[in-house]
Amino acid sequence: MRAKQQRLYINIDHVATLRQARRGAEPDPVEAAIACEAAGADGITAHLREDRRHIQDADIQGLKNKVRTYFNLEMACVAEMLELACRIKPEQVTLVPERREEITTEGGLDIISEPSRIRSAIKALTDAGIRVSLFIDPTRAAVEQSKKLGVPAIELHTGTYSHRPDSEKTIGALRESSRRGADLGLAVHAGHGLTVKNVGPVAAIPEIEELNIGHSIISRAVFIGLDRAVKEMREAMLAARSS
Ligand code: PXP
């Protein structure tokens, strides 16, 4: 299969983490989003958590107003977030699991044991004109269940891979799930824990159309600036696709 052009969406949550450390106005994640777009990002991702530990409601409205590329809102499948998404209407919502005590999203959505809750969320978002993606573990069962739930897209959780990037098993699960997703007609996205060092094998998977990357790019930006950090990631992705 010929690899399609792969999109890079930057997750700007951790710009807000820094701002919330002082509960002030800086640094502004909306300004960061504009800088990422100027550096060549194809889209902007933000996760409005129920505990509001980083991104705030006003940021979501600001991103909706200012993002010129594509706005992907990550959120839990709960009434409060569904109401907000249907009102603000980002282009895409990625449904993610959320636990208050976790440091970051730790695993894919449980779409097998709670399908009716997810199905009604998908319907509400789709009826509002929003494209829906499900953040799932890279397993055949989760990919096939996503297809049954009727979403156009899935995002494969790369967290396990990012902890063990040299394992054939972790990259193999991503390759197989991507292939199965594409065979079923799903758009395949991926993300979590990706860095310039480990992105190569994931970026090289031909079926993966979109990568969502945040923490490592914002961390690098502290040393080399956001513009170079975004470009550095793009170069690593392109190098993996052309080799
Ligand atoms: N994709 C999803 C669904 C996520 O929840 C996150 C983290 O918020 C990311 C991608 C980005 O992960 P990281 O910040 O580790 O690059």
Short mmCIF file of all heavy atoms in Angstrom, two decimals, residues 11 13 47 74 96 105 135 155 191-193 212-215, ligand 1:
data_model
loop_
_atom_site.label_atom_id
_atom_site.label_comp_id
_atom_site.label_asym_id
_atom_site.label_seq_id
_atom_site.Cartn_x
_atom_site.Cartn_y
_atom_site.Cartn_z
N ASN A 11 -0.59 18.56 20.07
CA ASN A 11 -1.39 18.66 21.29
C ASN A 11 -0.75 19.74 22.17
O ASN A 11 0.40 19.60 22.60
CB ASN A 11 -1.41 17.30 21.99
CG ASN A 11 -2.20 17.34 23.27
OD1 ASN A 11 -2.06 18.27 24.05
ND2 ASN A 11 -3.02 16.33 23.51
N ASP A 13 -1.77 20.88 25.16
CA ASP A 13 -2.18 20.83 26.58
C ASP A 13 -1.10 21.34 27.53
O ASP A 13 -1.40 22.01 28.52
CB ASP A 13 -2.47 19.38 27.02
CG ASP A 13 -3.70 18.80 26.37
OD1 ASP A 13 -4.44 19.53 25.70
OD2 ASP A 13 -3.89 17.57 26.50
N HIS A 47 -7.01 18.62 24.99
CA HIS A 47 -7.81 17.73 25.83
C HIS A 47 -8.40 18.56 26.97
O HIS A 47 -7.66 19.03 27.84
CB HIS A 47 -6.90 16.61 26.38
CG HIS A 47 -7.61 15.57 27.19
ND1 HIS A 47 -6.97 14.44 27.63
CD2 HIS A 47 -8.88 15.48 27.66
CE1 HIS A 47 -7.83 13.69 28.33
NE2 HIS A 47 -8.98 14.31 28.36
N GLU A 74 -10.03 16.47 22.34
CA GLU A 74 -10.07 15.19 23.06
C GLU A 74 -10.92 15.40 24.31
O GLU A 74 -10.74 16.39 25.02
CB GLU A 74 -8.67 14.79 23.53
CG GLU A 74 -7.73 14.42 22.42
CD GLU A 74 -6.34 14.18 22.97
OE1 GLU A 74 -6.11 14.27 24.19
OE2 GLU A 74 -5.46 13.91 22.16
N VAL A 96 -11.85 9.87 24.64
CA VAL A 96 -10.77 9.22 25.40
C VAL A 96 -11.29 8.78 26.77
O VAL A 96 -12.24 9.38 27.28
CB VAL A 96 -9.56 10.18 25.58
CG1 VAL A 96 -9.02 10.65 24.24
CG2 VAL A 96 -9.91 11.38 26.45
N THR A 105 -3.53 10.07 29.97
CA THR A 105 -4.47 9.04 29.51
C THR A 105 -3.76 7.69 29.45
O THR A 105 -2.79 7.52 28.72
CB THR A 105 -4.99 9.41 28.09
OG1 THR A 105 -5.24 10.80 28.06
CG2 THR A 105 -6.23 8.64 27.75
N PHE A 135 -10.26 6.72 20.75
CA PHE A 135 -8.88 6.41 21.18
C PHE A 135 -8.91 5.00 21.77
O PHE A 135 -9.48 4.79 22.85
CB PHE A 135 -8.46 7.43 22.22
CG PHE A 135 -7.02 7.36 22.64
CD1 PHE A 135 -6.00 7.28 21.70
CD2 PHE A 135 -6.68 7.42 23.98
CE1 PHE A 135 -4.67 7.26 22.09
CE2 PHE A 135 -5.34 7.40 24.39
CZ PHE A 135 -4.35 7.32 23.43
N GLU A 155 -8.08 6.27 16.83
CA GLU A 155 -6.71 6.66 17.17
C GLU A 155 -6.10 5.53 17.99
O GLU A 155 -6.62 5.21 19.07
CB GLU A 155 -6.66 7.98 17.94
CG GLU A 155 -5.22 8.35 18.30
CD GLU A 155 -5.08 9.72 18.97
OE1 GLU A 155 -5.99 10.56 18.86
OE2 GLU A 155 -4.02 9.93 19.60
N GLY A 191 -1.24 8.03 18.52
CA GLY A 191 -0.59 9.01 19.37
C GLY A 191 -0.46 8.56 20.81
O GLY A 191 -1.11 7.61 21.24
N HIS A 192 0.37 9.24 21.51
CA HIS A 192 0.69 9.14 22.94
C HIS A 192 2.13 8.68 23.13
O HIS A 192 2.51 7.61 22.67
CB HIS A 192 -0.24 8.19 23.71
CG HIS A 192 -0.38 8.63 25.14
ND1 HIS A 192 0.59 8.41 26.06
CD2 HIS A 192 -1.34 9.33 25.76
CE1 HIS A 192 0.22 8.95 27.21
NE2 HIS A 192 -0.95 9.53 27.05
N GLY A 193 2.89 9.54 23.78
CA GLY A 193 4.26 9.19 24.14
C GLY A 193 5.23 9.20 22.97
O GLY A 193 6.35 8.69 23.09
N ASN A 212 -0.96 12.44 16.64
CA ASN A 212 -1.23 13.48 17.65
C ASN A 212 -0.09 13.45 18.66
O ASN A 212 0.07 12.45 19.37
CB ASN A 212 -2.56 13.19 18.34
CG ASN A 212 -3.72 13.56 17.46
OD1 ASN A 212 -4.05 14.74 17.32
ND2 ASN A 212 -4.33 12.58 16.82
N ILE A 213 0.68 14.53 18.69
CA ILE A 213 1.88 14.53 19.53
C ILE A 213 1.92 15.82 20.34
O ILE A 213 1.72 16.91 19.80
CB ILE A 213 3.15 14.40 18.66
CG1 ILE A 213 3.01 13.20 17.70
CG2 ILE A 213 4.39 14.26 19.54
CD1 ILE A 213 4.22 12.94 16.82
N GLY A 214 2.16 15.68 21.64
CA GLY A 214 2.16 16.86 22.50
C GLY A 214 3.37 17.00 23.37
O GLY A 214 4.25 17.83 23.12
N HIS A 215 3.45 16.18 24.40
CA HIS A 215 4.41 16.40 25.48
C HIS A 215 5.85 16.56 24.99
O HIS A 215 6.56 17.47 25.41
CB HIS A 215 4.31 15.25 26.50
CG HIS A 215 5.14 15.48 27.71
ND1 HIS A 215 6.43 15.02 27.83
CD2 HIS A 215 4.87 16.17 28.85
CE1 HIS A 215 6.91 15.39 28.99
NE2 HIS A 215 5.99 16.09 29.64
N1 PXP B 1 -3.61 11.28 21.73
C1 PXP B 1 -4.43 11.20 22.80
C2 PXP B 1 -5.78 10.58 22.61
C3 PXP B 1 -4.05 11.70 24.04
O1 PXP B 1 -4.88 11.61 25.10
C4 PXP B 1 -2.79 12.34 24.16
C5 PXP B 1 -2.39 12.95 25.47
O2 PXP B 1 -3.31 13.91 25.84
C6 PXP B 1 -1.98 12.41 23.02
C7 PXP B 1 -2.40 11.85 21.82
C8 PXP B 1 -0.65 13.08 23.05
O3 PXP B 1 0.23 12.39 23.89
P1 PXP B 1 1.64 13.01 24.24
O4 PXP B 1 1.39 14.29 24.96
O5 PXP B 1 2.28 11.96 25.07
O6 PXP B 1 2.35 13.25 22.93
#
